Amino acid sequence: MSAKQQSEDTPAHTKASEMSTEKREHHADEKCNAGLSSQEDAAIHIYATIAFIVIIIVIGVPMWWKTTEVYRVSLPYTEIEALNDVPIKATFHLGLFCSSSERREILAFELRKKFEQNFVFELDLQLLSLGEDTTATIKTPAKLETELLKLFPASVGQFLFIEWPKLDDDVLVTSERTAFISESATSLKIYHVLSSWILQEYKLKAILGSRDMQQTTKGRQLRLNSAPLQPRYEVLITVLNPRPDLQKVHWNARAAAENYIEPFLNELSGITNFTIKTQWIYQVGLEGVGAQAKQVPDDSKTGRHYALPEDSLPHIITSLEKKLGTQITDNPCIHLVVYVPPCAQAPLKIYRKDGQRASLMSANVEAFTSAKWGGIVFANPAETTCIRYMEDEQFSDVYVHAQDVMPVLLYQLRKIFDLENNAPLLDTTLVPYNSIEPRTWEVDTFIRTNTIYLVHSATSTLQSLIQLLGGIEYIVINDEVGAAIQNAYHKVIEAKQQLAHGNLQTAAFIAREAYTSAERAFFDPSLLALLYFPNEQKYAIYIPLFLPIMIPVVFSFNTILKYFRKRKPSKQSKSKEE
């Protein structure tokens, strides 16, 4: 090949090589651009994953936790558990009068000594004396009592002992807040009267029931004879006329309730409320309630009476309760039933298992009492009425006399509220009960005993509720329940303070509020809202929902770590090249 031809070929070869270089550079640029594009896509994917994780963990999980959180009002758990650290103490204001100042000081010293070890009461003893001019004008115990009550008014919860020389017994307890003592009465006798009758400490031992206070009688622990007091009662007086086709019963039950029952219950309204109702029920006899009376011959003009066995009385109560219609109220009901048997089954008498009469009451009235339910009075028709009926067996008019029936109903109420429970004491006399209203000091005892019961019961209820709420964390405590618990807690403390200051009437009112609030909180239906939906069940429901979402989130953590580890060396090499 000639030199000319070689010189002509050289530019062509150079041009081709330049073209191939440009292609390689273009291909390299495409690869570089592709690499940059894939890195950008990976970064976008990684940052999108991070954003998703942040949304799930930072926003989603807290929002889920907050929306599924059980609403619980903050409560004074520690303070309520420590309520028993301050025992219930009641100040008892007592007045004492003796004609001799020396005897007065001796009795006062000995009484204070006896009250030093008392588990509830703290004695506030006030010694009374009268001037010689006043004493000279006093000729009767009533006059002496009047003069001393000017110095010691003896308000609710207080009591006064008055020495009177001309006294047959050591102690004579009146129907008011006073008692007379003889010149030979000892401080031990006075303390026994206070402990057994006025303060009735045995009831408080049964109420408080701590181990160091338990006393037994014939091997059995002391218990209250009546049902625990409730803040409100329905007193239902029911007249049963089983045979209206044979007899018409004449009795104004409403007037009898207003004249007898209402004045009696008004005296007890300082600690609880009563609603009195009357009703008449017809065609309900003893045969329909599972009791069968047996005819017994006797020496009366009718020649017979009907024996009702004592064992059948509980069955009568059980069957009658279904027919008395007390389901319309939520308050506890005290039943006072007056059953007027027809002459064909009269007079009714109650007999014990040994075949003897259970009671020897008046000829026309038989009765029995159930402390937690009420009582039944069998108002038998008059004997002359039944004789006329036996002669012609025609329709008869039966008249029920309030003076026969109502004293029995009042006695039943005294038994139901445990007012008729005064154990006899040697050389101690109690003025006979001869009025509709209870004795004044009996009312004080009733209020005092039940005030302590309400405070103790409210405390126990609050502590049980706090223990329940503290042990089960998924029980809802709404604002209403929290307010009731707070109110009960503060009322318990306030009632204890009022008792310690001797303000019995105020303490009774506050104790009733504390008991009502504690019971309302304990039985609030909202506490059962999530009782059968515990945390384990909540997790069992929500885990299948969140697990499919969280598994990719958890695995993406590994991809994120690899990405940032790979990116870190590339940044370091790039910095070295620069």
Side-chain angles (χ1 to χ4, degrees):
M1 185 178 293
S2 63
K4 186 177 179 179
Q5 290 175 341
Q6 290 179 354
S7 61
E8 290 177 353
D9 293 339
T10 300
H13 178 72
T14 303
K15 188 176 181 180
S17 61
E18 289 176 355
M19 290 177 63
S20 61
T21 302
E22 289 178 358
K23 289 180 180 181
R24 285 196 300 271
E25 290 177 353
H26 179 70
H27 185 65
D29 290 339
E30 288 181 351
K31 284 186 175 182
C32 182
N33 292 332
L36 291 174
S37 177
S38 61
Q39 289 178 359
E40 290 176 357
D41 292 341
I44 292 172
H45 176 72
I46 292 298
Y47 286 114
T49 303
I50 293 174
F52 182 74
I53 293 174
V54 169
I55 292 173
I56 289 293
I57 296 178
V58 177
I59 299 177
V61 173
M63 183 179 295
W64 165 77
W65 188 265
K66 188 65 179 176
T67 54
T68 58
E69 184 182 19
V70 176
Y71 182 74
R72 292 170 66 90
V73 175
S74 60
L75 298 173
Y77 290 90
T78 306
E79 292 82 354
I80 292 177
E81 291 176 354
L83 279 175
N84 285 334
D85 294 345
V86 180
I88 300 174
K89 287 290 184 180
T91 298
F92 176 56
H93 297 286
L94 179 66
L96 177 63
F97 170 79
C98 296
S99 56
S100 170
S101 60
E102 182 180 359
R103 172 170 165 77
R104 186 166 59 242
E105 292 294 339
I106 293 174
L107 288 178
F109 174 79
E110 293 175 352
L111 285 174
R112 289 191 179 101
K113 276 291 184 181
K114 295 183 184 301
F115 272 91
E116 284 180 356
Q117 304 300 324
N118 197 284
F119 66 99
V120 171
F121 295 104
E122 294 182 353
L123 182 62
D124 180 15
L125 184 58
Q126 182 177 345
L127 303 181
L128 306 176
S129 61
L130 294 174
E132 295 181 0
D133 297 338
T134 306
T135 306
T137 60
I138 295 175
K139 303 299 181 182
T140 62
K143 177 64 175 177
L144 178 60
E145 181 183 18
T146 302
E147 292 296 330
L148 290 172
L149 288 176
K150 296 178 182 178
L151 302 176
F152 188 82
S155 59
V156 178
Q158 301 178 359
F159 203 79
L160 173 62
F161 280 99
I162 305 170
E163 186 183 70
W164 183 256
K166 301 176 183 180
L167 201 65
D168 296 332
D169 295 308
D170 288 341
V171 182
L172 174 64
V173 180
T174 70
S175 297
E176 301 300 323
R177 299 184 179 101
T178 57
F180 291 93
I181 60 175
S182 66
E183 294 178 337
S184 61
T186 63
S187 60
L188 181 60
K189 178 67 67 176
I190 295 174
Y191 183 77
H192 281 167
V193 172
L194 289 174
S195 177
S196 299
W197 289 359
I198 309 304
L199 301 178
Q200 296 187 355
E201 294 181 4
Y202 66 94
K203 291 184 182 179
L204 301 181
K205 291 175 182 178
I207 290 171
L208 299 177
S210 62
R211 294 180 180 178
D212 57 338
M213 296 176 188
Q214 287 180 359
Q215 295 186 358
T216 58
T217 302
K218 297 181 181 180
R220 294 178 296 178
Q221 183 179 342
L222 280 173
R223 296 185 182 274
L224 289 176
N225 295 329
S226 60
L229 185 73
Q230 300 298 322
R232 186 177 293 276
Y233 287 96
E234 300 277 348
V235 179
L236 181 59
I237 302 174
T238 304
V239 183
L240 295 181
N241 184 1
R243 295 296 302 272
D245 57 325
L246 297 179
Q247 64 178 4
K248 181 178 181 181
V249 179
H250 300 269
W251 188 41
N252 192 339
R254 185 171 185 176
E258 292 175 352
N259 295 329
Y260 289 87
I261 303 298
E262 188 173 350
F264 180 91
L265 296 178
N266 285 340
E267 296 296 319
L268 307 182
S269 60
I271 188 68
T272 185
N273 292 329
F274 299 95
T275 302
I276 304 174
K277 299 179 180 179
T278 60
Q279 66 175 351
W280 287 70
I281 297 180
Y282 298 93
Q283 296 181 341
V284 175
L286 295 183
E287 299 84 358
V289 296
Q292 185 67 39
K294 183 185 296 185
Q295 182 174 326
V296 178
D298 58 18
D299 297 333
S300 64
K301 293 181 180 180
T302 57
R304 85 289 186 273
H305 66 270
Y306 290 85
L308 191 64
E310 197 174 36
D311 295 342
S312 64
L313 301 181
H315 303 290
I316 294 176
I317 291 177
T318 303
S319 301
L320 276 181
E321 196 167 16
K322 303 174 184 178
K323 305 176 184 298
L324 296 180
T326 56
Q327 299 83 4
I328 59 175
T329 176
D330 294 331
N331 299 320
C333 187
I334 298 174
H335 296 281
L336 300 177
V337 179
V338 179
Y339 179 80
V340 185
C343 284
Q345 299 174 350
L348 282 175
K349 307 292 182 182
I350 300 175
Y351 276 76
R352 297 194 299 263
K353 291 182 179 179
D354 57 4
Q356 300 297 320
R357 289 276 306 276
S359 64
L360 298 176
M361 304 180 69
S362 65
N364 292 337
V365 176
E366 290 279 321
F368 69 95
T369 306
S370 175
K372 298 182 179 181
W373 184 80
I376 297 180
V377 175
F378 298 107
N380 294 306
E383 190 176 50
T384 54
T385 302
C386 289
I387 291 175
R388 287 196 299 268
Y389 174 80
M390 293 172 65
E391 291 175 352
D392 54 15
E393 293 190 0
Q394 297 296 323
F395 188 86
S396 59
D397 291 311
V398 178
Y399 294 89
V400 177
H401 301 286
Q403 61 267 26
D404 294 333
V405 173
M406 299 313 294
V408 181
L409 294 182
L410 291 175
Y411 178 80
Q412 290 179 335
L413 285 175
R414 289 178 61 84
K415 296 291 289 185
I416 291 169
F417 292 110
D418 207 14
L419 300 179
E420 194 70 27
N421 194 24
N422 302 314
L425 296 176
L426 186 63
D427 296 327
T428 303
T429 303
L430 185 62
V431 172
Y433 176 71
N434 54 8
S435 64
I436 295 175
E437 297 84 0
R439 299 180 180 94
T440 306
W441 60 265
E442 285 180 336
V443 176
D444 292 350
T445 302
F446 177 80
I447 294 175
R448 184 187 299 108
T449 302
N450 287 287
T451 297
I452 294 176
Y453 163 76
L454 293 177
V455 172
H456 177 72
S457 180
T459 302
S460 301
T461 302
L462 284 178
Q463 290 178 338
S464 300
L465 182 57
I466 285 298
Q467 185 178 2
L468 176 67
L469 297 178
I472 306 178
E473 298 179 353
Y474 49 82
I475 293 181
V476 177
I477 309 176
N478 59 30
D479 294 331
E480 185 177 352
V481 173
I485 293 175
Q486 291 277 5
N487 182 62
Y489 167 68
H490 292 297
K491 292 298 181 182
V492 165
I493 295 177
E494 190 176 352
K496 284 184 175 181
Q497 293 174 348
Q498 294 296 332
L499 281 173
H501 292 122
N503 302 325
L504 182 58
Q505 193 67 57
T506 306
F509 178 76
I510 297 172
R512 186 171 64 180
E513 288 188 351
Y515 178 84
T516 304
S517 295
E519 292 293 307
R520 183 171 64 249
F522 191 86
F523 293 103
D524 193 285
S526 66
L527 296 178
L528 302 176
L530 295 181
L531 188 58
Y532 300 101
F533 193 70
N535 291 333
E536 294 81 2
Q537 189 171 355
K538 179 173 69 176
Y539 296 144
I541 292 175
Y542 284 109
I543 283 177
L545 176 64
F546 284 96
L547 193 60
I549 300 175
M550 296 305 295
I551 289 177
V553 171
V554 173
F555 281 109
S556 63
F557 277 108
N558 187 31
T559 305
I560 294 171
L561 291 175
K562 288 181 179 180
Y563 172 79
F564 283 105
R565 286 175 183 172
K566 187 176 181 181
R567 185 180 178 187
K568 189 175 181 181
S570 63
K571 285 185 177 181
Q572 291 177 353
S573 60
K574 185 176 181 181
S575 61
K576 289 180 180 179
E577 291 177 357
E578 291 177 353

